[in-house]
Amino acid sequence: MRTRLILAGLVAVLVAAGAVAAVAAPGKPAAKSVNALAEQECKQDRREDRAEFRRDHGGTGAAALRRCIAEEKREARADCEEDRREDRAEFRAEYGGTGKAAFTRCVKDELR
């Protein structure tokens, strides 16, 4: 009897936790990798103006897409390095520190 009550309580807690997670999840965008965000940006650029994409990256194929992704990531990293160098306190407040994880959050933010 006592085991059933404990089990029922545990199930109730898990169901409640799942409900809270389901309610909280829709507002938060899915976490994507830096590469995925850069690729998404490049594909959008290619769709919007193929001639400009071809001129900037030397074509529209896979190699041009790789060059675009590398350039997008390089620009985002440079912007974050500059932001961190200019005002470390603001960078720390916005991204939660100045380490690697905070820098990655900044790069993702720049790519969005």
Side-chain angles (χ1 to χ4, degrees), residues 22-97:
V23 170
K28 185 177 179 185
K32 290 187 176 182
S33 71
V34 171
N35 284 333
L37 290 169
E39 181 177 2
Q40 180 180 355
E41 179 72 23
C42 288
K43 285 182 177 181
Q44 181 179 346
D45 289 349
R46 184 172 62 181
R47 274 191 306 271
E48 288 175 358
D49 192 351
R50 288 181 89 71
E52 182 180 353
F53 188 89
R54 184 178 291 117
R55 184 176 53 252
D56 291 345
H57 305 292
T60 58
L65 187 63
R66 283 192 303 272
R67 285 190 290 274
C68 177
I69 291 169
E71 183 178 331
E72 288 287 333
K73 291 187 328 185
R74 187 172 33 253
E75 289 173 1
R77 286 182 184 127
D79 289 345
C80 288
E81 286 172 357
E82 183 179 339
D83 290 348
R84 185 171 60 181
R85 192 173 35 254
E86 285 178 357
D87 191 353
R88 291 183 83 76
E90 183 180 334
F91 189 90
R92 184 179 294 114
E94 187 169 348
Y95 298 109

